[in-house]
Amino acid sequence: MGEFKVHRVRFFNYVPSGIRCVAYNNQSNRLAVSRTDGTVEIYNLSANYFQEKFFPGHESRATEALCWAKGQRLFSGGLNGEIIEYDLQALNIKYAMDAFGGPIWSMAVSPCGSQLLVGCEDGSVKLFQITPDKIQFERNFDRQKRSAVHKMLVDRQYMGVSKRKCIIWGVAFLSDGTVISVDSAGKVQFWDSATGTLVKNHLIANADVQSIAVSDQEDSFVVGTAEGTVFHFQLVSVTSNSSEKQWVRTKPFQHHTHDVRAVAHSPTALISGGTDTHLVIRPLMEKVEVKNYDAALRKITFPHRRLISCSKKRHLLLFQFAHHLELWRLGSTVATGKNGDTLPLSKDADHLLHLKTKGPENIICSCISPCGSWIAYSTTSRFFLYRLNYEHDNISLQRVSKMPAFLRSALQILFSEDSTKLFVASNQGSLHIIRLLEGSFKHLHTFQPQSGTVESMCLLAISPDGNWLAASGTSAGVHVYNIKHLKLHCTVPAYNFPVTALAIAPNTNNLVIAHSDQQVFEYSIPDKQYTEWSRTIQKQGFHYLWLQRDTPITHISFHPKRPMHILLHDAYMFCIIDKSLPLPNDKTLLYNPLPPTNESDVIRRRTAHAFKISKIYKPLLFMDLLDERTLVAVERPLDDIIAQLPPPIKKKKFGT
Amino acid sequence: MAALEEEFTLSTVPLGAGPNGLLGVEQSDKTDQFLVTHGGRTVILYKVSDQKPLGSWSVKQGQIITCPAVCNFQTGEFIVVHDNKVLRIWNTEDVNLDKVFKATLSAEIYRIHSIQGTEPLVLFKEGAVRGLEALLAEPQQKIETVLSDDEVIKWTKVFMVFRHPVLIFITEKHGNHFAYIQTFSSRTLSKYTLFHGQEEKSVIQNFTASVDRKFISLMSLSSDGCVYETSIPIHPRDPDENQRVVRSLLLKTVVAGNARSGVALTVLDQDHVAVLGPPLPASKECLSIWNTKFQTLQTSRELPQGTSGQLWYFGENLFMLHGKFLTVIPYKCEVSSLAGALGKLKHSQDPGTHTVPHFVNWETSRGYGFGSQNSEQSKRILRRRKIEVNVPPPAFEQLLSTIKKDSEKDIEVELCKFLAVKRTPDFHTIVGDIVLELLGRHTTEPSFYPRNSLMQLIQTHVLSYSLCPGLMEAALEKTDVQMLQLCLQQFPDIPESITCACLKLFLSISDDSLQETEINMESVSDCSDPVQEKMDEQTEILQNGFNADEQNCDSCDRKLNQKPQDAAEETTSCPVVPKRAALLNAILHSAYSEMFLLPHLKDIPAQHVTIMDWICLLLDANFTVVVMIPEAKRLLLSLYKFVKSQICICSELNKIEVSFRELQKLNQEKNNRELYSIEVLELF
């Protein structure tokens, strides 16, 4: 199959932000997750838990509360005191409105979904009417002496709990009048709201119980503790056929090492997230009808998009962080070896550049040109383009000023293979093409979005010959533009699952598309149809183990000399698909890490199939081909992330 | 929980009243058969379960039986002594005692002891003991004198200890008591002086004894009404020396202090004694069962026609004179358990109930034989009730049609006829149907409440809550506490909500209306003086705890020990009248599960909480005793050891965990390669 020298990179010092809030939307089966840096991510639970949208964070906009209202409208409140509504189509902030109560700590929607309540630092609770395109302040509730630090899930302030030095971290008001509170003393308490009396008390942790979420049926709820434990409570009958029911703590789960700051309860799963940055989705076995791979636990740690770009020509890697970019030059070796060898370095990797953003906004996307001479990145409100000059070992950076007004915010940036063109997907749904000249640029064309749609394009791919540009949003099909004639060439038929990666093969101009359900399609742009190979694999179906992978493919590339090869990777494997080989069926061993030993070539050929998989590098954030025989793999070991988190509450496994 | 079952009379022939009427009751070699020796001339062999004599033997006119007849368990023969010195030995085939084997001895016999596993032992009035075989081999052998002048035997008993008999007898001389222990394994006779302790003035009236491995526990009932216990070693360290043993108080005032006659005491088992005598100076004589461990009165039975101060206990039967008749009261004691103390263990109080299924028995309904012994049993029950069996059986349908339209009186008559018929295997379902029919008419016709019929049906002992749902609800509606009490005692499957509803009713019903109702006071019978039902007397009986060591007792015990006159002021004193207490007792004895009862208990109104607290306090006090009894020490000790070893294991596990973590760290460091490397990868 081939031998590669692999640049194994572990110096991408990326640490995801801790999860602050999660909000589950039953209607669309989507999950909104806010992180401590203000980022809000939208996961589509129906599409294999794919992170299909995200809203970049902002330094001053720490999100403390998140909720869905009126079907699919998403609101958040945070420490800057503003209520924000997100535009889920254009992927930007619709508006921000000051609640005038100081930092917002809690937020809830009335059961009918038409009113929004926020609990503010000054102790006031403010009621807003949700109008079709905005929210309108309606009334202010009596302010309490102490600040409203507890969550309000319904429109009534509950004052029954007042143990000194005990903070109520969350409350839930059930329709039968039961109030459930979770507090800093490790208790889950059930109260009768009519009399204000404590009905039941569960001491579940030695540390704070920080979050609570109740299922829609109100027959089950989940709480998260600072010890990283998640407890499931269920309303069960006292005897097998009696109508009398009581709340029973049924299952504890320990999937986190740190505080579980937020929990959510979908009809079929418990969802939790916290300081350890993992989003954990734990399906409830009794609620899962088909015991397939969907019933497995999901742990999502890394974003489902690329944070790394690469300059093949100069062996450069550009790392994207929330507020800065890092440019590294890979080292080199002259040695050779056999499989598994670590080669002595003749030159180590260099950290060339640390580029800090200006302003409080997080970087949305970034890219380095294949020649290594250009770097572009974008925040919510500004687009930056830099020209890099290399003089021996020195590099100089020059910002290209006077960016045109339409280039304000980009969701995706891509350079053409020859680094003469820049393609920018803006959040208005338009695609800009810019010609790069030595130190300056020229706007060539803008593809306006299809009439009637405002969906933003998140993924771009350019053919190596520079003639075709493919662009994809989150739901509609992939559009292919002809760059020569500056017009839409075709649209690949829409598929049920979002696109996770796109690439156009050299020479053949076949567009390879990976979807979140792990399907891979090959579409011939010149022929405007799926290729024969794509039809064959669709007919035969992918190997079941391939379909059961739980991270999406985030990057696709091609071998310049081997047109039959497609290189792709997710977080836990790297695969070369050799289209010339037979496809594996479910009885074939998909992943065979062992080299053939004494077996004859015949057996080897007979068992060989198209998918050549390597699981050596994980978690794999980026992998690309630098040249015919060289690969670069960027790993981010979980232990390195944990090492940068605050120490967890130490818990003895065996209590003494 | 100790319980007395329904009593029955053995002999229909009246005996002479008083101690002379009855000489003794002894076991025979067949179970259920007992030898009853009448004062005078007659010995009768009874089959107790059938209440019928199997044989009767008399000595000649002019002769007089001086010692109760016994059975030689090794040969099956009966032995009796007449005229102090003459032994007669016979078996069941013999008719005339005058013609059976006769042996005249040289000394006067006090008592012949016969127990399983050994030959009969003959105790002479002068204190000598002989085995029967040796005596019969040489009847005229010389019998030595053991006792001094004026020393007379008052009481004697024999035990088997390690397969050897041990005989104890108590003598009295000038008001002093002595105990002699005769062992046959080592042929030693040891003598002990019973030291009375502080209660010098009291006169010992009755003895009983039980045996442990090394000690004979001798209990005596004194004229002050208290039971004292004396431990006498079986194997003394120095047999020749006259040793003194001190008695200690075991139970305080179990009978009225001034009772002159009719007082008796017998050990039932390790923890229970039966006491015969009047509990209060003015009251009638009673048979009471006391738990010596908890010092609580378990149960008692009034004997209004008086008794003789004689009490025998064999197997499961207590024998005593009631008036002029020999009466048998079966005694049952289930093993004490916390469940029992909590009332979660249902015990059947009446004979016959345990063999008749409480629930529908599908096996029998399908026609599998109900068993001849069961029909025999039911026959016996019928006989005991003295119900005429020869009434022609009316059809079940006829009874149902009577229920539908006729008056309550007619129904009662028909029901009597129906119940008199021999029971069929599906009797319980039929009874359930009858009750449902009656209740059905009650709901359509609220004035119709056939109380007597319902009571009669409940007393068939075959009903359960599930067989007649609605019965207790109807009784609750009618505030029929008597029926509720009966249901609580009888039904094994009452839902906790109903139990709680009964509790609420029992607590809220006024004392005046209670006064008018007829309530079964058996469970608290000795606590109530029919003349004056004062609270303080209540507490005196109910709190019959005492503590030998006043200084060491904790506050809880002190509370229980308080003098009666203070008790009335205490909130912890019994705040209920005896009738209500009897009702509450029925609740405590019913089967319930705490988990299901608690939600309903919350609804108890505030004014009744004092009573609930008091009941809880009583239960708590019992549990405190449970934890503090010596037997619990071992359990607590092993619990402590177990917990300690658990802690040890946990701490070792923690150490192992830390070591593993260190190893893991080392491992990681090894795996943790450089931040950057170039490697060779070959894909196959």
Side-chain angles (χ1 to χ4, degrees):
Chain A
M1 190 71 204
E3 202 180 75
F4 297 95
K5 275 184 190 172
V6 182
H7 290 261
R8 198 169 181 179
V9 173
R10 291 158 176 256
F11 47 71
F12 178 34
N13 195 15
Y14 169 75
V15 180
S17 293
I19 292 172
R20 182 63 197 87
C21 314
V22 292
Y24 173 73
N25 186 327
N26 200 4
Q27 235 173 55
S28 60
N29 199 24
R30 277 175 172 78
L31 184 75
V33 174
S34 80
R35 295 187 182 263
T36 46
D37 66 351
T39 309
V40 173
E41 296 160 351
I42 311 290
Y43 291 83
N44 186 347
L45 303 195
S46 305
N48 216 358
Y49 309 92
F50 181 60
Q51 181 193 325
E52 56 179 14
K53 294 166 191 177
F54 83 101
F55 299 91
H58 191 282
E59 266 178 358
S60 68
R61 221 171 46 208
T63 314
E64 286 293 330
L66 194 65
C67 71
W68 296 89
K70 278 254 171 162
Q72 308 216 14
R73 290 174 69 177
L74 181 65
F75 295 89
S76 80
L79 297 184
N80 63 354
E82 284 177 344
I83 301 169
I84 293 164
E85 184 175 356
Y86 297 89
D87 187 333
L88 296 173
Q89 283 295 312
L91 300 189
N92 57 13
I93 286 165
K94 219 174 186 175
Y95 56 86
M97 181 188 265
D98 201 322
F100 297 105
I104 294 169
W105 290 101
S106 53
M107 193 179 245
V109 172
S110 65
C112 57
S114 60
Q115 285 161 321
L116 185 73
L117 281 117
V118 294
C120 303
E121 173 80 7
D122 65 357
S124 65
V125 172
K126 295 183 163 67
L127 179 66
F128 291 84
Q129 187 72 36
I130 302 174
T131 58
D133 52 352
K134 242 191 154 170
I135 53 169
Q136 197 170 16
F137 176 76
E138 202 164 273
R139 61 174 291 193
N140 193 30
F141 287 93
D142 294 350
R143 66 178 53 198
Q144 307 297 329
K145 277 186 186 128
R146 315 175 80 181
S147 61
V149 290
H150 49 255
K151 279 187 191 159
M152 308 263 305
L153 295 186
V154 270
D155 49 350
R156 218 184 290 183
Q157 176 103 26
Y158 186 70
M159 292 305 291
V161 201
S162 64
K163 194 187 163 193
R164 215 199 305 230
K165 285 183 183 169
C166 178
I167 301 164
I168 306 296
W169 286 116
V171 290
F173 202 146
L174 306 187
S175 50
D176 66 352
T178 305
V179 172
I180 308 165
S181 70
V182 296
D183 60 38
S184 59
K187 298 192 297 286
V188 174
Q189 293 181 313
F190 296 81
W191 306 81
D192 184 337
S193 64
T195 57
T197 49
L198 181 65
V199 177
K200 209 165 182 188
N201 185 15
H202 284 270
L203 185 65
I204 58 164
N206 290 321
D208 300 34
V209 184
Q210 293 180 314
S211 44
I212 178 170
V214 184
S215 71
D216 284 348
Q217 278 78 36
E218 298 192 348
D219 59 352
S220 150
F221 70 88
V222 55
V223 298
T225 74
E227 292 170 333
T229 324
V230 168
F231 289 99
H232 188 205
F233 284 75
Q234 280 172 292
L235 190 63
V236 292
S237 302
V238 284
T239 55
S240 59
N241 48 8
S242 94
S243 61
E244 201 179 324
K245 292 188 168 190
Q246 65 178 11
W247 285 103
V248 176
R249 192 181 91 190
T250 48
K251 289 172 235 113
F253 301 109
Q254 180 87 48
H255 299 304
H256 296 276
T257 51
H258 290 68
D259 302 32
V260 179
R261 297 291 298 272
V263 286
H265 197 310
S266 84
T268 57
L270 307 180
I271 300 154
S272 56
T275 311
D276 64 0
T277 76
H278 305 296
L279 178 68
V280 174
I281 299 162
R282 176 72 172 78
L284 296 168
M285 286 314 187
E286 68 268 23
K287 297 278 173 64
V288 180
E289 277 165 24
V290 190
K291 298 275 182 281
N292 61 8
Y293 201 63
D294 279 347
L297 171 85
R298 290 295 174 100
K299 206 167 189 177
I300 300 166
T301 310
F302 297 105
H304 292 161
R305 60 197 150 94
R306 262 197 298 150
L307 299 174
I308 297 150
S309 52
C310 162
S311 158
K312 294 182 181 181
K313 198 174 151 197
R314 287 192 184 264
H315 285 205
L316 299 175
L317 287 177
L318 183 70
F319 297 147
Q320 176 190 323
F321 296 86
H323 291 282
H324 71 274
L325 299 170
E326 280 181 15
L327 187 65
W328 289 74
R329 179 159 46 208
L330 297 171
S332 59
T333 181
V334 289
T336 51
K338 57 181 196 305
N339 184 30
D341 284 356
T342 303
L343 304 175
L345 296 176
S346 56
K347 194 165 155 278
D348 206 351
D350 283 334
H351 186 187
L352 298 181
L353 199 68
H354 183 103
L355 188 62
K356 218 176 151 357
T357 57
K358 296 178 179 70
E361 292 168 337
N362 286 14
I363 297 171
I364 300 174
C365 58
S366 62
C367 195
I368 184 166
S369 67
C371 68
S373 305
W374 300 90
I375 287 175
Y377 76 89
S378 173
T379 66
T380 312
S381 57
R382 289 178 81 180
F383 186 89
F384 298 88
L385 182 64
Y386 291 92
R387 171 81 183 168
L388 288 165
N389 287 309
Y390 300 86
E391 286 167 24
H392 308 293
D393 272 354
N394 295 330
I395 57 165
S396 59
L397 190 71
Q398 190 193 355
R399 186 174 163 204
V400 179
S401 54
K402 290 181 189 149
M403 297 304 292
F406 59 83
L407 270 185
R408 272 185 53 234
S409 172
L411 291 173
Q412 187 66 275
I413 306 166
L414 189 67
F415 288 95
S416 66
E417 199 79 354
D418 57 2
S419 303
T420 56
K421 290 196 183 82
L422 172 68
F423 305 95
V424 177
S426 83
N427 61 358
Q428 301 304 314
S430 49
L431 288 171
H432 306 291
I433 307 173
I434 289 146
R435 166 163 299 163
L436 299 170
L437 304 163
E438 192 79 21
S440 70
F441 61 91
K442 188 186 168 205
H443 178 228
L444 276 184
H445 185 73
T446 296
F447 290 114
Q448 292 302 333
Q450 305 296 303
S451 56
T453 62
V454 284
E455 194 192 44
S456 298
M457 296 294 145
C458 314
L459 289 168
L460 295 177
I462 182 77
S463 66
D465 61 13
N467 288 339
W468 308 101
L469 175 69
S472 160
T474 52
S475 57
V478 180
H479 305 293
V480 181
Y481 299 93
N482 188 326
I483 301 299
K484 250 186 203 156
H485 302 105
L486 297 176
K487 63 167 194 174
L488 181 71
H489 174 67
C490 62
T491 299
V492 181
Y495 185 67
N496 293 342
F497 289 87
V499 178
T500 66
L502 275 181
I504 299 171
N507 307 322
T508 60
N509 282 331
N510 286 340
L511 173 65
V512 178
I513 311 163
H515 290 275
S516 71
D517 62 346
Q518 311 299 2
Q519 297 288 343
V520 178
F521 294 93
E522 192 186 41
Y523 185 85
S524 168
I525 294 175
D527 298 346
K528 295 189 187 179
Q529 63 177 8
Y530 288 111
T531 64
E532 200 52 47
W533 180 80
S534 187
R535 287 171 207 274
T536 312
I537 199 160
Q538 283 306 314
K539 210 188 270 173
Q540 190 185 323
F542 283 85
H543 195 276
Y544 72 101
L545 288 176
W546 175 270
L547 297 176
Q548 283 180 0
R549 290 178 302 112
D550 59 3
T551 50
I553 289 167
T554 49
H555 187 55
I556 302 169
S557 56
F558 302 94
H559 197 287
K561 292 284 161 64
R562 294 175 188 159
M564 295 309 278
H565 287 190
I566 305 168
L567 285 73
L568 27 76
H569 77 88
D570 66 13
Y572 296 100
M573 65 101 214
F574 155 64
C575 175
I576 296 176
I577 299 177
D578 186 344
K579 292 189 281 178
S580 62
L581 287 176
L583 295 169
N585 61 31
D586 280 0
K587 286 179 194 130
T588 329
L589 189 66
L590 181 69
Y591 169 56
N592 184 11
L594 296 170
T597 47
N598 297 333
E599 289 162 292
S600 68
D601 250 16
V602 184
I603 297 171
R604 196 166 155 182
R605 213 172 294 145
R606 203 174 56 208
T607 54
H609 59 76
F611 289 75
K612 308 294 173 191
I613 295 171
S614 161
K615 293 190 180 180
I616 296 173
Y617 316 107
K618 54 190 177 183
L620 188 61
L621 296 194
F622 179 74
M623 189 136 194
D624 206 350
L625 203 65
L626 292 175
D627 57 50
E628 286 166 43
R629 310 202 65 83
T630 315
L631 283 167
V632 58
V634 180
E635 289 173 277
R636 184 63 183 145
L638 283 176
D639 291 333
D640 295 356
I641 295 177
I642 291 165
Q644 298 202 17
L645 296 176
I649 292 175
K650 195 170 168 324
K651 216 170 105 180
K652 274 187 180 174
K653 269 209 184 89
F654 310 100
T656 48
Chain B
M1 192 75 178
L4 293 174
E5 298 183 350
E6 200 177 330
E7 65 180 79
F8 54 92
T9 315
L10 256 197
S11 58
T12 44
V13 187
L15 301 161
N20 298 331
L22 193 62
L23 216 52
V25 179
E26 292 288 341
Q27 274 177 300
S28 88
D29 58 336
K30 294 185 183 67
T31 50
D32 204 29
Q33 295 187 10
F34 292 88
L35 281 168
V36 177
T37 311
H38 290 209
R41 295 169 46 213
T42 322
V43 177
I44 302 175
L45 181 67
Y46 281 104
K47 187 167 166 60
V48 167
S49 59
D50 278 3
Q51 307 163 42
K52 105 183 159 191
L54 297 176
S56 170
W57 299 272
S58 299
V59 292
K60 261 198 319 200
Q61 196 102 43
Q63 294 175 342
I64 182 155
I65 297 176
T66 52
C67 162
V70 295
C71 177
N72 183 345
F73 289 101
Q74 289 176 328
T75 62
E77 293 165 324
F78 305 130
I79 310 156
V80 76
V81 180
H82 62 81
D83 302 309
N84 291 321
K85 282 184 178 175
V86 187
L87 275 180
R88 291 280 184 180
I89 299 176
W90 80 102
N91 56 38
T92 42
E93 284 92 60
D94 293 314
V95 182
N96 195 339
L97 268 194
D98 210 30
K99 299 212 173 103
V100 303
F101 177 85
K102 173 183 173 184
T104 308
L105 308 180
S106 62
E108 291 191 344
I109 298 169
Y110 178 76
R111 176 72 55 89
I112 303 175
H113 284 294
S114 179
I115 51 171
Q116 294 274 14
T118 184
E119 61 167 331
L121 301 169
V122 180
L123 173 65
F124 292 92
K125 284 192 176 167
E126 297 298 329
V129 184
R130 289 286 190 280
L132 183 70
E133 296 303 322
L135 211 51
L136 293 180
E138 198 188 337
Q140 283 297 316
Q141 62 182 273
K142 183 162 170 42
I143 305 296
E144 73 277 12
T145 298
V146 177
L147 305 182
S148 55
D149 294 341
D150 299 335
E151 192 174 355
V152 286
I153 300 178
K154 301 296 280 185
W155 177 85
T156 175
K157 193 167 178 177
V158 68
F159 303 101
M160 288 300 282
V161 180
F162 297 119
R163 277 189 255 156
H164 291 288
V166 172
L167 191 138
I168 178 172
F169 58 93
I170 310 290
T171 61
E172 190 196 3
K173 185 183 181 183
H174 308 310
N176 294 322
H177 287 86
F178 304 95
Y180 292 83
I181 309 279
Q182 171 81 59
T183 59
F184 294 84
S185 53
S186 55
R187 284 256 153 221
T188 51
L189 179 71
S190 21
K191 182 183 177 184
Y192 298 89
T193 307
L194 294 185
F195 188 62
H196 285 210
Q198 290 138 346
E199 298 81 8
E200 290 289 354
K201 285 168 279 178
S202 62
V203 182
I204 298 176
Q205 291 177 312
N206 208 312
F207 290 97
T208 187
S210 61
V211 69
D212 198 357
R213 282 163 165 259
K214 288 178 180 161
F215 289 93
I216 290 174
S217 160
L218 178 72
M219 290 176 206
S220 51
L221 182 61
S222 281
S223 58
D224 58 359
C226 301
V227 177
Y228 296 87
E229 188 185 26
T230 313
S231 271
I232 304 169
I234 295 169
H235 300 288
R237 261 164 275 147
D238 189 357
D240 300 328
E241 204 180 308
N242 183 3
Q243 294 162 81
R244 299 211 304 177
V245 282
V246 183
R247 63 179 193 171
S248 57
L249 187 58
L250 186 67
L251 285 172
K252 213 175 197 174
T253 331
V254 292
V255 292
N258 58 353
R260 284 281 160 261
S261 62
V263 178
L265 172 77
T266 191
V267 172
L268 300 173
D269 56 43
Q270 219 181 333
D271 301 325
H272 294 91
V273 292
V275 177
L276 207 57
L280 293 170
S283 66
K284 286 182 178 136
E285 283 165 325
C286 258
L287 172 69
S288 322
I289 309 294
W290 286 84
N291 185 317
T292 53
K293 192 177 281 175
F294 298 132
Q295 301 172 359
T296 49
L297 177 65
Q298 298 287 301
T299 180
S300 78
R301 180 72 55 84
E302 206 168 282
L303 301 167
Q305 288 155 46
T307 183
S308 62
Q310 288 167 296
L311 185 63
W312 293 271
Y313 174 65
F314 297 109
E316 290 183 339
N317 294 312
L318 281 159
F319 297 83
M320 74 218 73
L321 270 179
H322 184 194
K324 286 187 174 180
F325 297 96
L326 178 60
T327 300
V328 180
I329 302 182
Y331 160 78
K332 277 264 159 60
C333 182
E334 278 161 41
V335 177
S336 293
S337 65
L338 286 184
L342 263 180
K344 286 185 182 178
L345 207 74
K346 185 78 185 168
H347 63 274
S348 43
Q349 284 177 315
D350 293 275
T353 45
H354 30 234
T355 51
V356 181
H358 285 297
F359 300 101
V360 177
N361 187 340
W362 296 106
E363 300 273 310
T364 56
S365 296
R366 268 190 279 144
Y368 291 101
F370 201 59
S372 57
Q373 110 245 15
N374 271 10
S375 56
E376 204 182 358
Q377 185 107 31
S378 49
K379 230 188 285 173
R380 214 179 66 230
I381 291 168
L382 292 178
R383 183 162 58 240
R384 228 177 266 166
R385 295 246 162 70
K386 295 191 173 64
I387 292 171
E388 293 284 290
V389 195
N390 54 3
V391 177
F396 171 54
E397 284 75 25
Q398 194 194 326
L399 176 60
L400 290 188
S401 68
T402 315
I403 289 171
K404 282 202 177 80
K405 49 186 192 297
D406 291 351
S407 71
E408 289 184 25
K409 265 272 169 335
D410 294 338
I411 293 169
E412 273 170 49
V413 172
E414 283 299 319
L415 188 64
C416 264
K417 284 185 200 162
F418 171 77
L419 288 178
V421 184
K422 191 177 177 222
R423 293 183 182 193
T424 51
D426 57 347
F427 181 67
H428 46 280
T429 51
I430 293 177
V431 171
D433 288 344
I434 296 169
V435 174
L436 288 179
E437 200 67 37
L438 289 169
L439 289 173
R441 191 168 158 197
H442 166 67
T443 42
T444 51
E445 202 182 313
S447 60
F448 174 80
Y449 185 63
R451 193 163 176 283
N452 294 340
S453 303
L454 287 173
M455 295 286 270
Q456 204 174 348
L457 284 166
I458 296 167
Q459 276 161 333
T460 56
H461 305 300
V462 297
L463 280 178
S464 62
Y465 182 86
S466 27
L467 269 178
C468 51
L471 174 63
M472 289 188 77
E473 282 85 346
L476 277 167
E477 200 181 297
K478 291 267 172 191
T479 56
D480 189 347
V481 288
Q482 191 189 355
M483 189 180 307
L484 288 174
Q485 186 194 23
L486 204 59
C487 290
L488 283 167
Q489 285 168 350
Q490 299 280 343
F491 295 175
D493 56 342
I494 301 171
E496 279 74 4
S497 55
I498 299 293
T499 311
C500 218
C502 291
L503 177 61
K504 257 186 260 178
L505 176 68
F506 293 169
L507 289 174
S508 57
I509 195 166
S510 70
D511 282 356
D512 296 337
S513 47
L514 266 182
Q515 214 59 48
E516 291 156 16
T517 50
E518 218 180 280
I519 287 162
N520 182 356
M521 300 289 285
E522 209 169 78
S523 61
V524 288
S525 60
D526 44 47
C527 305
S528 58
D529 192 333
V531 189
Q532 45 171 176
E533 291 175 340
K534 270 192 174 173
M535 272 184 193
D536 45 15
E537 296 198 6
Q538 270 295 320
T539 49
E540 183 185 18
I541 305 295
L542 281 166
Q543 300 182 356
N544 189 303
F546 87 99
N547 203 316
D549 198 351
E550 285 282 346
Q551 288 93 334
N552 291 344
C553 73
D554 60 18
S555 61
C556 169
D557 279 340
R558 217 172 291 141
K559 237 176 231 170
L560 289 171
N561 262 329
Q562 266 173 359
K563 290 203 174 107
Q565 49 264 47
D566 298 336
E569 291 146 32
E570 277 291 322
T571 48
T572 54
S573 65
C574 172
V576 295
V577 298
K579 278 197 172 172
R580 201 189 299 280
L583 292 175
L584 292 177
N585 235 352
I587 298 265
L588 283 178
H589 280 212
S590 68
Y592 56 81
S593 170
E594 199 177 334
M595 197 172 127
F596 303 133
L597 190 69
L598 281 178
H600 302 291
L601 278 179
K602 276 190 314 205
D603 307 335
I604 297 273
Q607 71 258 32
H608 301 318
V609 167
T610 324
I611 294 170
M612 293 305 295
D613 285 350
W614 172 77
I615 293 172
C616 291
L617 207 75
L618 267 186
L619 281 177
D620 283 351
N622 255 330
F623 284 122
T624 313
V625 177
V626 169
V627 176
M628 296 201 309
I629 54 173
E631 283 87 339
K633 209 179 207 169
R634 260 178 59 195
L635 176 71
L636 289 176
L637 213 69
S638 45
L639 261 179
Y640 169 75
K641 272 185 193 156
F642 176 72
V643 169
K644 210 168 141 185
S645 65
Q646 287 281 85
I647 291 172
C648 262
I649 289 170
C650 281
S651 83
E652 292 305 314
L653 281 173
N654 272 327
K655 280 182 207 161
I656 292 168
E657 195 208 350
V658 171
S659 317
F660 268 125
R661 208 180 295 146
E662 288 302 313
L663 276 175
Q664 213 177 352
K665 233 183 251 173
L666 284 174
N667 216 14
Q668 258 172 19
E669 272 162 30
K670 215 170 72 188
N671 280 348
N672 214 355
R673 273 169 254 188
E674 299 286 310
L675 286 177
Y676 177 62
S677 60
I678 300 176
E679 291 170 19
V680 178
L681 170 74
E682 195 184 350
L683 283 174
F684 305 103

